Amino acid sequence: MSLEFTLCLLSLFMLAGIGMPIAYAILIASFVYLGVGGQGVGLAGKVLLDGMYGSFILLAVPLFIVAANIMNAGTISDRLLRFCVGLVGRFKGGLGHVNVVASLIFSGMSGSAVADAAGIGKIIIEMMTKSGHYTRGYAAAITAASATIGPIIPPSIPMVLYALVSNTSIGFLFLGGIGPGLLMGVVLMVQNYIIASRRNFGTEDAVPLTELPRLTFEAFPALLMPAILLYGIYGGVTTPTEAAAVAAFYALILAAVFYRALRLKAFYHILVDSARSSAAVGLVIGGALILNYIVAAENIPGLVAGALVGLDVSPLAFLIGVNILLLLLGCVLDASTIILVIIPLFLPACRELGIDLVHFGVVAVVNCMIGLITPPYGILLFVINAVTRIPLAEIIREVIPFLIVLVLALLAMILFPGIVLFLPRLMGYPG
């Protein structure tokens, strides 16, 4: 490594280590590289603007954030939860199953794990603790674990970011996330059933089956959003970015007109919160674009690819090794940083080894979502701790069994690519 790049890395790790937000740490480290190398800092601005303005798909990020925040407002979440209670609440560990199914449904509307946990997650935690059948730590843990499904089933903000750095079709990435998202839901429900049976959790009063049609009718307009989104993309009606705009508009019409659950003042606060969230993501993206320029200038991806090909590493061994590394990085880094800064280093090696980039991308995003509940820097654990005041130690103790089954599901996705690629191939993907 050159002196400039060495100083860049040292600055990045030092600043991140003392607690500076990762976006600012990346930007300052990049300025150190440019300054020491005698390049104008203005180059960073050019790289940032070229990257932002040249990536139309980035517009999908704030639009999905707005759609998620609108769906969290008013009675939409309540209607979805009542539908889920009627559907699976009658089984052993009922509200735990409701938690997972609600996340599966809401994931088709938000694309954000944090939005899932802070919105519908807070409501279901209160339901579980008030029932008297579940400890507060367990309720928080299964909520955090199920929220990881949010960015896997489309729409998905992390997959938009991966499409940005890999030039992979976002439509096929979205399709590839459906199978893994359902698998994650199944393993979480199985684990919930096992724990509920072992600890003899009480069972909630079953909602009469005669009530299910009414609950379905009330939730049906909200349940339509994923179908509208996917039809728009795969029916050739909209691009993924336009589909994000349609999702935001549909959520607004649904909340304000159909359910009459959104007031003008609340809508203003939603826009402000969405702008803040989008700005935070934008800062990370901007820093990553500059850092990626530096990494490309140093030819780090090419060196990594050459070293791996020289070692004659098999594609499977490479995938397992990269995923172990990403799991470890997920303990200390947030998902956006891993996707935008770390993953691009391995893309040339994937191409050299013949690894499908849609398969790799979906598996990498699932890995990053597991990192959201991995101590010590599991951001979903902190989010739920902040919105519920449940002690972090209680949440971490209860989340470990769910973390284990999610890692096993990740291993299945690595060993059996068909879990990811079945639907994309069905829709004409040549990979």
Side-chain angles (χ1 to χ4, degrees), residues 233-252:
I233 295 173
Y234 304 113
V237 180
T238 64
T239 65
T241 305
E242 291 164 350
V246 170
F249 180 71
Y250 181 75
L252 178 60

Side-chain angles (χ1 to χ4, degrees), residues 37-104:
Q39 303 181 61
V41 176
L43 179 63
K46 182 182 183 303
V47 171
L48 193 155
L49 289 175
D50 287 348
M52 288 290 192
Y53 285 118
S55 303
F56 181 68
I57 197 169
L58 281 180
L59 279 175
V61 174
L63 291 169
F64 282 137
I65 290 173
V66 170
N69 287 341
I70 291 173
M71 293 301 284
N72 267 329
T75 62
I76 297 175
S77 298
D78 296 333
R79 292 170 190 269
L80 288 173
L81 278 176
R82 286 199 295 270
F83 168 73
C84 294
V85 170
L87 194 65
V88 295
R90 65 190 72 249
F91 303 113
K92 189 70 175 176
L95 285 181
H97 297 316
V98 168
N99 199 319
V100 177
V101 173
S103 289
L104 281 168

Side-chain angles (χ1 to χ4, degrees), residues 96-157:
H97 297 316
V98 168
N99 199 319
V100 177
V101 173
S103 289
L104 281 168
I105 293 172
F106 202 76
S107 65
M109 306 170 193
S110 69
S112 166
V114 173
D116 196 345
I120 204 167
K122 183 181 179 182
I123 301 170
I124 190 67
I125 288 173
E126 291 177 359
M127 288 175 61
M128 292 180 74
T129 52
K130 286 180 180 177
S131 73
H133 299 154
Y134 308 88
T135 64
R136 59 182 185 173
Y138 184 82
I142 192 172
T143 300
S146 66
T148 60
I149 302 171
I152 308 303
I153 293 179
S156 168
I157 292 172

Side-chain angles (χ1 to χ4, degrees), residues 11-333:
S11 302
L12 175 59
F13 291 128
M14 184 187 72
L15 293 171
I18 63 176
M20 178 177 285
I22 190 68
Y24 299 140
I26 292 173
L27 286 169
I28 293 174
S30 301
F31 293 156
V32 168
Y33 176 90
L34 296 174
V36 173
Q39 303 181 61
V41 176
L43 179 63
K46 182 182 183 303
V47 171
L48 193 155
L49 289 175
D50 287 348
M52 288 290 192
Y53 285 118
S55 303
F56 181 68
I57 197 169
L58 281 180
L59 279 175
V61 174
L63 291 169
F64 282 137
I65 290 173
V66 170
N69 287 341
I70 291 173
M71 293 301 284
N72 267 329
T75 62
I76 297 175
S77 298
D78 296 333
R79 292 170 190 269
L80 288 173
L81 278 176
R82 286 199 295 270
F83 168 73
C84 294
V85 170
L87 194 65
V88 295
R90 65 190 72 249
F91 303 113
K92 189 70 175 176
L95 285 181
H97 297 316
V98 168
N99 199 319
V100 177
V101 173
S103 289
L104 281 168
I105 293 172
F106 202 76
S107 65
M109 306 170 193
S110 69
S112 166
V114 173
D116 196 345
I120 204 167
K122 183 181 179 182
I123 301 170
I124 190 67
I125 288 173
E126 291 177 359
M127 288 175 61
M128 292 180 74
T129 52
K130 286 180 180 177
S131 73
H133 299 154
Y134 308 88
T135 64
R136 59 182 185 173
Y138 184 82
I142 192 172
T143 300
S146 66
T148 60
I149 302 171
I152 308 303
I153 293 179
S156 168
I157 292 172
M159 287 188 190
V160 172
L161 300 182
Y162 175 79
L164 170 69
V165 299
S166 66
N167 291 321
T168 310
S169 164
I170 192 166
F172 289 129
L173 284 170
F174 278 6
L175 270 181
I178 295 175
L182 294 175
L183 174 62
M184 292 167 73
V186 168
V187 298
L188 289 176
M189 291 178 76
V190 170
Q191 183 71 301
N192 173 64
Y193 179 81
I194 292 171
I195 294 173
S197 300
R198 187 183 301 150
R199 299 187 188 179
N200 199 26
F201 288 154
T203 304
E204 285 69 41
D205 295 333
V207 175
L209 289 176
T210 53
E211 288 289 302
L212 198 54
R214 180 183 63 81
L215 296 174
T216 305
F217 177 77
E218 289 179 353
F220 186 71
L223 295 172
L224 271 180
M225 182 187 276
I228 292 172
L229 193 69
L230 292 174
Y231 175 76
I233 295 173
Y234 304 113
V237 180
T238 64
T239 65
T241 305
E242 291 164 350
V246 170
F249 180 71
Y250 181 75
L252 178 60
I253 295 300
L254 203 62
V257 179
F258 190 85
Y259 289 136
R260 300 181 184 276
L262 187 64
R263 298 291 178 264
L264 190 60
K265 185 176 180 181
F267 183 54
Y268 169 77
H269 288 300
I270 285 171
L271 292 179
V272 171
D273 290 342
S274 300
R276 286 173 178 158
S277 300
S278 300
V281 175
L283 275 172
V284 176
I285 293 172
L289 287 171
I290 301 169
L291 189 59
N292 286 343
Y293 164 80
I294 293 170
V295 167
E298 293 283 324
N299 194 31
I300 302 299
L303 293 174
V304 172
L308 288 171
V309 172
L311 289 174
D312 195 26
V313 177
S314 71
L316 180 59
F318 172 79
L319 273 176
I320 292 174
V322 168
N323 276 276
I324 291 172
L325 175 63
L326 294 182
L327 283 172
L328 294 173
L329 289 174
C331 296
V332 292
L333 292 176

